[in-house]
Amino acid sequence: MSIQKPKGTQDLLPGEVEKWQYLESKARDLCQRFNYKEIRSPIFESTELFSRGVGETTDIVEKEMYTFVDKGDRSMTLRPEGTAGVVRAYVENKLYGVPDLTKLFYVGPMFRYEQPQAGRYRQFHQFGIEAFGSVDPSIDAEVIALGYTFYKEIGLKEVTVEINSVGTPSVRTVYREKLQEFFAPVKHLLCKDCQSRFDRNPMRILDCKTDQKYGVGAPEILDYLDEECTTHFAAVREHLTAMDIPYRVNPRLVRGLDYYTHTAFEYKAAGIGAIDTIGGGGRYNGLVEQIGGHGTDQPGVGLGLGLERILLVLQAQGVEIPKPEPLDVYLIGLGEPAEKEVTKLLHQLRVQGLKAEKDYQGRKLKAQMKSADRFQAKYVAILGDDELARGEITLKQMETGSQVIISLVDLASNAAKTLFE
């Protein structure tokens, strides 16, 4: 039996991987404009990092982590999300010691053991940003705006932003009691997971897809915010309005991670069935100290956008991703001496920055011309032994079929790029 890829993973092949490269390049360009610097943290970390940072009552920690014991008898976990690892790197490398705001972004794979479905894989990819060092509501709005701008610039249509305030730990203590009072009469009707959440984290019941009907009329956290939370949330909304970022307040939005405080948000888009969330994030004051220990605390806010879901929505909406530029020139050598010269010319053209290719299978001229056509080469340069003796080469424009004879010196010169523009 042949070995196949693991369940819930993908082989990103040529023709498809270019779409990923396009999204990643757009993300990097956008982050450069917003002054976010790239960080690359390990794909696996200590299991304690995620249980402490993500939260022991979350589905991620309880059910979905890929955890293993290494040869040093240490419990390690493939990262299920990006924020905890970035926070760990922020603390370990003492980035909190710099006077300016620390603004970071990452692009890479995450791992969760869950049932694969449309837009959900066991190895999936996220583009995320994290900003540390400010409680200013304008940075919350900036993070939300960056995500919205990313979707807009890649061509996604009808993206909506949903926001909420999940308060602070003291606010949630009061709200937790109100939720328990509300759900107590129907606790026995809740799913097994939500019965467990009732005592540990009743806010997660609001996020359960199975028990939505039991949450109708549940208390809303916005009614229990203190003055600080109310003022912060109002300021975030004001900044979003000033930046023309459309949003709606969703008082039931809680997100699936325990570390959020104040602002929480999600991006929604139609096109992939029942799962319409394509990204989200929020503020996480207190997480840095929770991971790094006393004296390291810095406020933070960030987001994570799922690339698989973005590609599915782009496809569903009929948005075409720009195709990569075709070959500038395909070189053909007819005869052994000409073929040796073509190998040298090929390298010279590539060094000059041109996209160039040749045949490596000893095929006839007709087969090589078909190969050039499949590569969508703009030009074909044909060199025979007679042309080689004269120091010339035939250059054919594939779209028009027109041909010119130029000197080999001109083709190999540093000005060769102008021949293919």
Side-chain angles (χ1 to χ4, degrees):
M1 180 172 150
S2 62
I3 298 175
Q4 298 180 327
K5 65 181 182 294
K7 182 178 180 179
T9 64
Q10 302 179 85
D11 293 317
L12 301 177
L13 305 177
E16 184 69 21
V17 77
E18 289 81 1
K19 299 175 184 178
W20 291 76
Q21 292 168 346
Y22 172 75
L23 293 184
E24 291 165 6
S25 67
K26 294 293 285 187
R28 288 187 167 88
D29 173 68
L30 188 63
C31 285
Q32 187 174 31
R33 284 183 271 148
F34 278 66
N35 197 33
Y36 285 75
K37 311 297 183 184
E38 185 172 7
I39 182 171
R40 301 189 184 190
S41 60
I43 287 177
F44 65 95
E45 301 260 10
S46 166
T47 302
E48 182 187 8
L49 171 67
F50 301 113
S51 59
R52 187 192 301 181
V54 175
E56 293 184 351
T57 64
T58 62
D59 285 349
I60 292 174
V61 172
E62 288 186 330
K63 305 175 183 178
E64 299 171 359
M65 295 204 307
Y66 276 93
T67 297
F68 61 96
V69 176
D70 70 6
K71 293 183 178 181
D73 202 30
R74 294 167 291 238
S75 180
M76 311 300 290
T77 296
L78 298 179
R79 63 184 183 195
E81 58 90 49
T83 299
V86 173
V87 171
R88 192 269 314 145
Y90 173 79
V91 171
E92 184 173 343
N93 294 283
K94 296 182 173 57
L95 299 183
Y96 52 82
V98 302
D100 297 315
L101 201 66
T102 301
K103 298 164 69 173
L104 306 169
F105 81 91
Y106 58 86
V107 180
M110 312 291 161
F111 305 85
R112 295 184 193 175
Y113 189 87
E114 53 186 345
Q115 191 59 35
Q117 54 184 285
R120 179 173 290 171
Y121 296 89
R122 292 179 175 176
Q123 177 177 314
F124 59 100
H125 300 76
Q126 283 190 344
F127 157 46
I129 66 172
E130 316 290 349
F132 302 97
S134 175
V135 295
D136 189 333
S138 68
I139 192 65
D140 301 42
E142 175 183 289
V143 168
I144 295 171
L146 188 152
Y148 182 80
T149 303
F150 176 73
Y151 292 130
K152 188 174 181 180
E153 290 192 356
I154 63 175
L156 276 186
K157 307 179 187 76
E158 299 179 9
V159 175
T160 58
V161 181
E162 295 188 355
I163 64 172
N164 192 24
S165 175
V166 293
T168 59
S170 59
V171 167
R172 288 199 295 273
T173 297
V174 175
Y175 182 56
R176 169 197 179 103
E177 294 174 357
K178 298 297 180 182
L179 282 179
Q180 288 175 325
E181 290 175 11
F182 176 83
F183 284 112
V186 295
K187 179 181 177 183
H188 63 290
L189 300 174
L190 299 176
C191 69
K192 183 179 178 181
D193 288 337
C194 285
Q195 288 184 24
S196 174
R197 291 165 179 158
F198 179 87
D199 292 315
R200 296 188 296 169
N201 192 352
M203 284 182 67
R204 293 297 318 287
I205 301 175
L206 299 174
D207 198 38
C208 178
K209 302 298 184 288
T210 304
D211 292 333
Q212 288 286 308
K213 58 182 178 291
Y214 299 119
V216 176
E220 296 180 355
I221 193 168
L222 296 179
D223 294 329
Y224 298 93
L225 297 181
D226 57 22
E227 183 177 355
E228 176 199 352
C229 294
T230 301
T231 301
H232 186 96
F233 192 46
V236 172
R237 301 199 304 273
E238 289 173 6
H239 288 302
L240 290 174
T241 299
M243 290 188 286
D244 291 325
I245 305 298
Y247 70 89
R248 78 176 188 91
V249 176
N250 177 3
R252 296 176 64 86
L253 193 161
V254 298
R255 300 290 292 155
L257 305 171
D258 285 354
Y259 51 60
Y260 287 118
T261 59
H262 290 291
T263 310
F265 60 90
E266 289 183 344
Y267 303 98
K268 307 278 189 176
I272 50 174
I275 302 174
D276 59 355
T277 302
I278 55 174
R283 178 167 282 281
Y284 44 84
N285 300 348
L287 179 61
V288 174
E289 187 168 34
Q290 187 176 345
I291 288 177
H294 181 69
T296 63
D297 191 35
Q298 288 288 326
V301 58
L303 61 73
L305 313 181
L307 299 187
E308 283 85 355
R309 293 189 181 185
I310 291 172
L311 288 168
L312 278 176
V313 177
L314 285 171
Q315 182 180 22
Q317 294 185 354
V319 179
E320 290 288 335
I321 291 179
K323 293 181 179 178
E325 286 293 315
L327 284 180
D328 291 306
V329 58
Y330 189 98
L331 298 170
I332 297 176
L334 303 176
E336 187 175 342
E339 176 63 28
K340 289 180 178 178
E341 182 67 19
V342 158
T343 300
K344 182 179 77 171
L345 285 170
L346 180 69
H347 180 70
Q348 290 172 332
L349 292 173
R350 287 170 171 171
V351 169
Q352 291 174 44
L354 289 162
K355 296 176 68 174
E357 186 57 286
K358 78 173 195 67
D359 177 65
Y360 294 94
Q361 296 172 287
R363 294 177 291 188
K364 301 293 185 182
L365 174 62
K366 185 177 179 180
Q368 292 191 53
M369 291 296 292
K370 287 183 178 179
S371 178
D373 193 53
R374 285 193 297 273
F375 283 121
Q376 299 180 312
K378 299 175 187 175
Y379 290 85
V380 170
I382 304 173
L383 180 65
D385 289 344
D386 292 341
E387 289 89 350
L388 178 59
R390 296 194 302 268
E392 296 174 341
I393 190 167
T394 301
L395 194 62
K396 178 178 180 178
Q397 188 178 37
M398 293 293 281
E399 184 177 0
T400 65
S402 62
Q403 296 185 176
V404 295
I405 296 175
I406 63 173
S407 73
L408 287 172
V409 173
D410 287 344
L411 185 65
S413 71
N414 290 330
K417 265 193 171 184
T418 59
L419 295 171
F420 306 105
E421 291 177 352

